Amino acid sequence: MNFFSGFMKGVAMGAGAIAPGVSGGALAVIFGLYDRLANFIANLNRNFRENIMFFMPVGIGGVAGILVFSRIVEYLFKYHEVEVRYAFMGLMLGTLPSVVRQANRRGFKVKYLFLMAVSLALTLMLTNMENNAVNIISDVQATPIYLIVYGAIVGFGTIIPGISASIILMYIGAYETVIGAISNLNIYMIFYLGIGFALSILLFAKLISMLFDKAYGYTYYTILGLVIGSIFSIFPGFAVTFDYAFNFIILAASFMLSYSLSCCMRTNR
């Protein structure tokens, strides 16, 4: 993976982490980075230099994606939400074949499909809850403890594919607080958000890494169900109108782009 490719993947993951309804973890799976990233975070002293060099462009891109797109994503989801969701769907659908190949890397068993179905059903159930969500906390606070909790939620949504941290933050009424802190570079708030994010990432990466080592197929197919569910979760619906016909063109173009890129990456491995 060259620097530009890693940087752009990081940008997409960073933007996805703050985009409502999109899972940064699902994008990591789709880009073929998830299992290596989880193992790296869970085992920092193993191949440290090699992993740092590999993930450096991804990390730089991730930070750039969060900082630059915090305002852009906020604007796009406010004024062009449907078009953005169709673009994300196309990008995710186009790389699903490569995700399936990755899941089957150590063989396939029919019983893997049961866990995939369960995780898919769970994601769809959560999506239904999200669609009917209202803020359950009316008085959102920005004290250090609350900010650490918000950061932990972002970390949880980043490391667990199919889980949108932004939607959870919206559900508790904290999304605007977090996105505002990032877009306005509020160092005080970002510091505590970062603590929660790091603690959450380290905890769940260790768990995911252990599951990959002990039960790769079961784990990956469970994640695959979450990823497929996340595609359904960002589907904005459709109507027989010219605007929606254009949206399907966006979806098709995004699909072809991501499918072509994933094929090129597989050829160059």
Side-chain angles (χ1 to χ4, degrees):
M1 182 174 66
N2 58 42
F3 184 91
F4 180 75
S5 174
F7 177 81
M8 293 308 297
K9 289 178 181 179
V11 169
M13 289 168 60
I18 59 176
V22 183
S23 167
L27 292 176
V29 174
I30 283 169
F31 292 145
L33 299 174
Y34 186 79
D35 50 345
R36 182 168 179 175
L37 178 61
N39 283 322
F40 171 43
I41 297 171
N43 305 280
L44 289 173
N45 59 342
R46 186 186 302 171
N47 299 324
F48 181 78
R49 180 180 175 82
E50 178 185 345
N51 283 321
I52 282 291
M53 296 304 296
F54 181 84
F55 284 110
M56 184 178 293
V58 180
I60 295 172
V63 172
I66 291 173
L67 293 178
V68 174
F69 284 93
S70 57
R71 288 183 180 273
I72 296 175
V73 167
E74 189 176 20
Y75 172 83
L76 288 175
F77 269 87
K78 185 174 181 180
Y79 296 105
H80 302 284
E81 179 178 358
V82 174
E83 292 88 344
V84 174
R85 286 182 181 272
Y86 270 95
F88 268 111
M89 284 176 58
L91 292 171
M92 296 172 80
L93 286 169
T95 46
L96 267 185
S98 66
V99 177
V100 173
R101 284 191 295 269
Q102 184 74 10
N104 292 333
R105 192 176 64 180
R106 300 184 188 179
F108 169 76
K109 296 179 181 178
V110 174
K111 53 188 175 182
Y112 293 163
L113 297 176
F114 173 74
L115 286 177
M116 185 184 79
V118 170
S119 61
L120 172 59
L122 176 62
T123 308
L124 294 177
M125 182 182 69
L126 291 173
T127 299
N128 183 62
M129 292 172 60
E130 292 164 3
N131 291 337
N132 297 300
V134 294
N135 291 348
I136 61 174
I137 298 177
S138 57
D139 183 20
V140 178
Q141 301 185 46
T143 62
I145 295 299
Y146 276 86
L147 290 171
I148 289 173
V149 171
Y150 301 154
I153 291 172
V154 176
F156 177 75
T158 301
I159 204 67
I160 305 297
I163 304 297
S164 171
S166 298
I167 290 295
I168 298 174
L169 292 171
M170 284 181 172
Y171 190 69
I172 63 175
Y175 181 74
E176 290 186 6
T177 299
V178 173
I179 202 73
I182 296 171
S183 62
N184 294 309
L185 290 178
N186 187 319
I187 303 300
Y188 168 82
M189 297 177 71
I190 290 174
F191 173 76
Y192 288 106
L193 289 170
I195 292 176
F197 178 84
L199 291 175
S200 181
I201 286 285
L202 290 171
L203 173 64
F204 286 105
K206 194 71 176 178
L207 174 62
I208 293 293
S209 177
M210 182 181 69
L211 290 173
F212 272 127
D213 288 339
K214 303 295 183 182
Y216 180 88
Y218 291 104
T219 302
Y220 223 109
Y221 266 87
T222 301
I223 290 172
L224 181 58
L226 294 172
V227 170
I228 295 173
S230 71
I231 297 174
F232 282 104
S233 73
I234 64 174
F235 178 56
F238 69 95
V240 185
T241 65
F242 175 78
D243 288 340
Y244 275 88
F246 179 70
N247 291 335
F248 277 101
I249 293 174
I250 293 175
L251 185 148
S254 300
F255 174 88
M256 292 305 300
L257 174 63
S258 63
Y259 182 77
S260 300
L261 289 174
S262 63
C263 288
C264 288
M265 287 187 289
R266 181 162 58 102
T267 302
N268 293 329
R269 282 177 182 174

